[in-house]
Amino acid sequence: MKKVLITGASGMVGTRLSQLLLERGYEVNTLGRSPAAPGAQGTTFFKWDVDAGKMDERALDGVSAIIHLAGANIAEKRWTKSRKQEILDSRVNSAQMIYHSLKKKKHSVESFISASAVGYYGDCGDELVTEDRKPAKDFLAVVCEKWEEEAIRIGSLGIREVRCRNGIVLSKDGGALPALVKGIRMGMAGYFNKPKLYYPWIHIDDICGFMIHAMEHKKVSGAYNTTAPHSVLMKELIREILRVTKSKAVMIPAPSFLVELALGELSSMLLCSQRCSAEKILSTGFTFEYPKIGGALEEVLGKKHSS
């Protein structure tokens, strides 16, 4: 039985990933601040303090793969100067701590799977974006670039590294979707009135599935757009949500400048368009369980999740 270490296991993706790994017979170690939410029952918790630069290195014992998801929630608070620093440090410093532990400790780690995000590319309009595109210069792009640099550095230790540039994760348990549905339940289906605003999305089981696939297949390495094969315009996403929920809410366009006024720099996360190519991820032999937005939304918002 192989053992996997997950950082950020108490988050939405980490929780589901822990569950899927346990179902497949893996042992799962988790590394975090508090044992209150270790990700899933059956995992073994180890503590770290990223701010203090301390971690329980026993978390690495017998581990064949590390899946690094840790990082402060990007959309949780307005981007003040201190919050932006926290977002960056929580990702970079945690990866650096893992690097130094691996460098000095005898270990059995063969692969390092790191989260990143499509924010790496910035606002691309309707351009079909591949992994070869250079990073943008805005805050999110800088965070992603520095985040990925640490994964590459871990790869310099002879460990196979994979960088997952994640899109918008669709889940009933969190992320962007519940906020969109909440507005619809009030009879208003708002969307941003910006032309060519593509949202690269992925079902939570597919993002977890690819991380497991990447861990299990040695030929998978480097950066991948972890997004479904069909990015959708935001207006199309809202229209599909209305169809799946059988809602009669009225679609209302929201001027982009109002979003910018309300959220400040954080609005860039909502107004950036990334029409991401899934060609590279498909070339690894990975099969999406939910390749189209309709099927994904039906699973997440359908009758079995109506409660």
Side-chain angles (χ1 to χ4, degrees):
M1 183 185 297
K2 288 194 173 184
K3 187 183 293 186
V4 180
L5 172 63
I6 303 177
T7 73
S10 62
M12 180 182 73
V13 174
T15 298
R16 181 58 176 154
L17 179 60
S18 297
Q19 293 168 348
L20 292 174
L21 285 168
L22 290 168
E23 289 172 7
R24 293 182 180 221
Y26 283 90
E27 291 183 34
V28 178
N29 287 354
T30 66
L31 193 56
R33 294 177 183 272
S34 169
Q41 291 186 350
T43 64
T44 303
F45 171 78
F46 295 89
K47 189 173 184 178
W48 69 356
D49 185 334
V50 176
D51 295 334
K54 297 178 181 179
M55 68 174 278
D56 188 342
E57 294 185 348
R58 293 177 300 172
L60 296 169
D61 292 346
V63 166
S64 61
I66 299 172
I67 302 180
H68 181 45
L69 307 176
N73 189 323
I74 288 176
E76 188 175 48
K77 301 176 183 177
R78 195 178 180 92
W79 288 353
T80 62
K81 184 177 180 180
S82 61
R83 180 59 177 175
K84 287 167 73 173
Q85 194 63 49
E86 182 183 2
I87 288 169
L88 178 61
D89 289 348
S90 63
R91 288 159 171 77
V92 172
N93 294 352
S94 57
Q96 287 177 349
M97 195 156 50
I98 294 171
Y99 169 81
H100 290 300
S101 295
L102 290 170
K103 190 173 181 180
K104 69 181 181 181
K105 177 183 174 69
K106 186 176 180 181
H107 63 81
S108 55
V109 177
E110 299 172 354
S111 57
F112 182 80
I113 317 298
S114 177
S116 182
V118 293
Y120 181 94
Y121 303 115
D123 190 357
C124 303
D126 63 351
E127 172 190 349
L128 185 61
V129 180
T130 68
E131 291 81 355
D132 295 330
R133 195 182 200 278
K134 292 182 179 180
K137 301 297 182 183
D138 59 75
F139 170 66
L140 276 184
V142 170
V143 169
C144 292
E145 185 177 16
K146 291 185 179 297
W147 201 0
E148 292 192 16
E149 284 174 356
E150 295 306 320
I152 292 169
R153 188 155 76 122
I154 288 174
S156 72
L157 299 176
I159 296 170
R160 180 173 58 88
E161 61 87 15
V162 180
R163 286 155 274 144
C164 298
R165 293 176 182 163
N166 300 333
I168 297 168
V169 181
L170 301 184
S171 169
K172 63 183 175 64
D173 296 318
L177 196 54
L180 293 173
V181 174
K182 183 178 180 180
I184 288 171
R185 286 173 180 162
M186 297 171 65
M188 296 179 292
Y191 65 94
F192 303 131
N193 191 22
K194 177 184 176 181
K196 301 176 182 177
L197 178 55
Y198 280 90
Y199 275 7
W201 61 275
I202 186 167
H203 189 283
I204 191 167
D205 283 357
D206 281 329
I207 195 171
C208 293
F210 179 69
M211 288 178 177
I212 296 171
H213 175 83
M215 183 182 67
E216 294 178 339
H217 291 78
K218 294 181 179 180
K219 290 184 179 180
V220 179
S221 65
Y224 290 85
N225 291 335
T226 322
T227 62
H230 306 284
S231 296
V232 294
L233 291 166
M234 188 195 183
K235 189 173 182 179
E236 293 173 357
L237 172 61
I238 298 299
R239 189 178 289 121
E240 277 296 295
I241 293 173
L242 294 178
R243 181 188 66 80
V244 171
T245 59
K246 296 181 172 60
S247 172
K248 295 182 179 179
V250 178
M251 293 186 66
I252 302 173
S256 299
F257 76 88
L258 291 180
V259 183
E260 293 168 355
L261 284 174
L263 299 178
E265 194 176 357
L266 175 58
S267 65
S268 64
M269 191 174 122
L270 302 173
L271 297 174
C272 277
S273 174
Q274 292 111 3
R275 183 179 162 224
C276 292
S277 168
E279 183 177 345
K280 186 177 179 184
I281 195 172
L282 290 169
S283 72
T284 70
F286 178 71
T287 301
F288 284 88
E289 190 172 353
Y290 302 98
K292 295 185 178 180
I293 190 66
L297 289 173
E298 285 167 7
E299 197 284 327
V300 175
L301 300 174
K303 290 182 179 179
K304 60 182 174 180
H305 294 307
S306 60
S307 60

